[in-house]
C-alpha cells in the first residue's frame, strides 16, 4: 500500500498545456526581472557617464526610487481590477517606449534630465510589474496544488539570477555607449510584452498590498501603521530592515563613483562588483536556512548584521578594486542572511487579519532609506564621498545594534513558533 507521502506526490500531474503555460510564466518573470535589474543599476551609472557628476548620479538614484514608494501603495489596487497579464503587458510596453524615447532624445542632444525622467518612469513601472508578477506567481502556485513550493522556488531563483546578471550586463552594454544599453532595455521589455500576450490568466486576488476588492491605499497604510504602533517587536524589525537598506542603498549609488573616479576602473568593473556581490548574497540566502536551524534566528541575525556593518566600513577604506569588491560582497552576503532572518520574524509578527495593509506599510518604511541614500550622495561633496560612507557605517551600526537589542527584549513575541521552515518559505 503506498504511503500518504507517495500519494501526495502523485496527486498533481500537470498536462502538457499546463506545463507549457508554466514555462511561459517563468520566461515572463525572467525577462521582466532582467530588464528591471539592468535599469536599476545602470541608470545612475549612465547619468554619471553623461555628466561626470557624482551629484547628478545621486540625484538619479533618488528620483529612481522615490516614486517606487508611491507605486507600491497605488499599483496593487489597480492590478486587483485587471488581470496580471494585462498589467505586465502595459508596463512592458511603456518601459520599451520610455527607453526608445530616451534613446531618441539623447541622439538629438538633450541633457541628462531626460535620463532622470527615464529612471523615474522605469522605477515606477518596475514596481507595478513586480506586483503583477507576484499575482501571476500566486495563480501558478494555485494551479500547481501540492507542488506550489517548487513553483515559488523557481520564481525566487529567477529573481536572484536577474540580480546577478543585470549589473554585469548593464556595465558591459554601457561600455559600447548609452544607445546600446537603452536599446537592450527596449528589446527586453518588448520580449516581455510578447510573452505576456501568450500567457492566459484569470483575475486572482492580489494579497500582497491589500485584502479588499476595492481598497483605498491611504486607509490601508493607516491600518498597517496602527499595527506597527501596537507591536513593538515589529517596529524594531522594520527599523533593522531600514538600516540594512540604508547601507546597501548607499553602496548602490556610490559604487559607480568609487570604482570609476576613486579606483579608476571602467563601468564594466562596476557591473562585475555587483554581480560578484549578488552571487555571494545568493549563497548566503541558501546557507541561512541551515544556520538558523543550528543557531537560531537571533544569533544568525546578529552575526549577519555585524558582518554587514563591518563590510560597509571596509568599503570606505578599501584602497584597491579587489578589496572593495570583497567588502561589497561581504555586505551583500550579510544583507541576504539578515533579510531571511528578519522576513521570517516579520511573517510571525504581522497579524493575519491585517497582513496586506501591514505588509504594505512595512515595505514603504523599509524602502524609504533607498531614496535617502541618493539624496545624501547628491548633496555630499564628491571628493569626500568615502567620509560619507564611513559616517553612514557608524550610524547603521548604531541603529542596527539598537534594533536588535529591541528585538531581543521582545523575542518571546517572534520566537514562539517552533518550526522555522514555513516562515522561511513565506519570506
Amino acid at each position: 500500500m503506498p504511503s500518504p507521502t507517495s500519494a501526495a506526490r502523485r496527486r498533481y500531474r500537470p498536462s502538457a498545456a499546463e506545463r507549457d503555460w508554466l514555462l511561459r510564466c517563468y520566461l515572463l518573470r525572467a525577462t521582466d526581472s532582467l530588464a528591471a535589474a539592468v535599469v536599476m543599476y545602470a541608470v545612475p551609472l549612465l547619468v554619471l557617464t553623461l555628466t561626470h557628476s557624482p551629484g547628478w548620479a545621486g540625484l538619479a538614484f533618488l528620483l529612481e526610487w522615490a516614486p517606487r514608494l508611491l507605486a507600491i501603495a497605488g499599483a496593487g489596487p489597480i492590478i486587483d481590477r485587471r488581470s496580471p497579464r494585462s498589467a505586465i503587458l502595459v508596463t512592458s510596453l511603456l518601459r520599451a517606449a520610455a527607453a526608445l524615447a530616451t534613446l531618441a532624445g539623447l541622439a538629438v542632444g538633450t541633457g541628462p534630465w531626460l535620463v532622470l525622467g527615464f529612471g523615474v518612469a522605469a522605477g515606477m513601472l518596475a514596481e507595478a510589474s513586480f506586483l503583477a508578477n507576484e499575482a501571476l506567481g500566486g495563480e501558478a502556485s494555485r494551479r500547481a496544488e501540492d507542488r506550489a513550493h517548487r513553483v515559488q522556488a523557481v520564481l525566487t531563483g529567477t529573481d536572484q539570477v536577474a540580480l546577478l546578471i543585470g549589473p554585469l550586463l548593464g556595465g558591459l552594454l554601457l561600455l559600447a555607449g548609452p544607445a546600446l544599453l537603452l536599446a537592450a532595455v527596449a528589446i527586453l521589455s518588448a520580449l516581455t510584452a510578447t510573452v505576456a500576450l501568450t500567457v492566459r490568466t484569470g483575475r486572482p486576488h492580489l494579497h500582497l498590498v491589500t485584502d479588499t476588492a476595492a481598497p483605498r491605499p491611504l486607509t490601508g497604510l493607516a491600518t498597517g501603521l496602527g499595527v506597527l504602533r501596537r507591536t513593538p517587536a515589529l517596529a524594531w524589525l522594520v527599523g533593522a530592515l531600514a538600516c540594512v537598506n540604508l547601507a546597501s542603498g548607499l553602496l548602490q549609488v556610490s559604487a559607480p563613483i568609487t570604482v570609476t573616479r576613486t579606483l579608476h576602473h571602467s563601468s564594466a568593473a562596476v557591473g562585475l562588483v555587483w554581480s560578484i556581490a549578488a552571487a555571494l548574497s545568493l549563497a548566503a540566502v541558501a546557507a541561512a536556512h541551515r544556520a538558523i536551524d543550528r543557531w537560531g534566528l537571533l544569533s544568525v541575525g546578529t552575526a549577519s548584521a555585524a558582518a554587514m556593518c563591518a563590510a560597509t566600513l571596509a568599503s570606505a577604506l578599501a584602497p584597491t578594486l579587489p578589496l572593495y569588491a570583497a567588502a561589497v560582497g561581504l555586505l551583500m552576503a550579510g544583507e541576504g542572511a539578515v533579510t531571511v532572518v528578519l522576513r521570517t520574524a516579520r511573517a510571525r509578527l504581522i497579524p493575519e487579519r491585517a497582513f496586506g495593509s501591514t505588509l504594505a506599510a512595512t515595505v514603504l518604511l523599509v524602502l524609504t532609506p533607498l531614496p535617502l541614500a541618493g539624496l545624501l550622495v547628491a548633496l555630499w561633496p564628491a571628493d569626500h564621498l568615502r567620509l560619507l560612507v564611513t559616517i553612514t557605517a557608524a550610524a547603521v551600526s548604531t541603529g542596527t545594534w539598537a534594533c536588535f537589542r529591541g528585538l531581543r527584549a521582545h523575542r518571546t513575541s517572534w520566537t514562539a513558533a517552533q518550526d522555522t521552515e514555513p516562515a522561511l518559505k513565506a519570506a
Side-chain angles (χ1 to χ4, degrees), residues 227-310:
V227 173
L228 277 174
R229 287 194 301 268
R230 296 189 299 271
T231 314
L234 185 59
W236 287 117
L237 189 67
V238 170
L241 283 166
C243 289
V244 169
N245 271 350
L246 179 59
S248 64
L250 186 64
L251 263 291
Q252 285 181 38
V253 69
S254 66
I257 303 167
T258 300
V259 172
T260 58
R261 291 172 61 99
T262 304
L263 301 178
H264 307 292
H265 286 269
S266 69
S267 61
V270 181
L272 180 62
V273 166
W274 283 114
S275 293
I276 292 173
L280 292 176
S281 178
L282 182 60
V285 170
H289 185 183
R290 293 182 179 179
I292 291 169
D293 286 341
R294 183 170 182 178
W295 291 295
L297 279 171
L298 193 58
S299 297
V300 174
T302 302
S304 301
M308 184 202 69
C309 294

Side-chain angles (χ1 to χ4, degrees), residues 191-209:
L191 180 59
T192 302
T194 302
V195 177
L197 287 173
T198 68
V199 179
R200 300 291 178 182
T201 65
R203 302 176 69 171
H205 193 64
L206 181 60
H207 292 283
L208 190 66
V209 175

Side-chain angles (χ1 to χ4, degrees), residues 20-33 83-95 128-129 132-133 136 139 143 187-202:
D20 178 71
W21 182 85
L22 190 57
L23 288 175
R24 292 173 190 270
C25 289
Y26 292 156
L27 179 59
L28 187 62
R29 182 79 163 225
T31 55
D32 186 69
S33 297
S83 70
R85 171 208 179 198
S86 299
I88 297 172
L89 176 62
V90 171
T91 54
S92 300
L93 291 175
L94 289 176
R95 183 167 54 203
S129 63
N133 267 299
L136 185 59
E139 181 174 345
R143 291 191 184 193
I187 292 171
L188 284 171
S189 300
L191 180 59
T192 302
T194 302
V195 177
L197 287 173
T198 68
V199 179
R200 300 291 178 182
T201 65

Side-chain angles (χ1 to χ4, degrees), residues 313-378:
L313 180 60
S315 70
L317 304 176
T320 63
L321 182 64
L323 290 177
Y324 182 78
V328 174
L330 179 59
L331 181 142
M332 295 301 292
E335 182 192 17
V338 80
T339 300
V340 171
V341 171
L342 296 178
R343 284 183 176 178
T344 302
R346 182 178 66 181
R348 297 176 180 178
L349 286 169
I350 298 179
E352 184 176 356
R353 289 185 60 186
F355 190 87
S357 298
T358 307
L359 183 60
T362 61
V363 168
L364 285 175
L365 292 173
V366 164
L367 292 183
T368 298
L370 293 175
L372 175 60
L375 180 62
L376 289 174
V377 173

Side-chain angles (χ1 to χ4, degrees), residues 18 82 91 105 115 137 159 164 190-191 234 252 255 357 390 402 416:
E18 289 173 328
R82 301 290 188 271
T91 54
V115 179
D159 291 340
L164 177 65
L191 180 59
L234 185 59
Q252 285 181 38
S357 298
T390 303

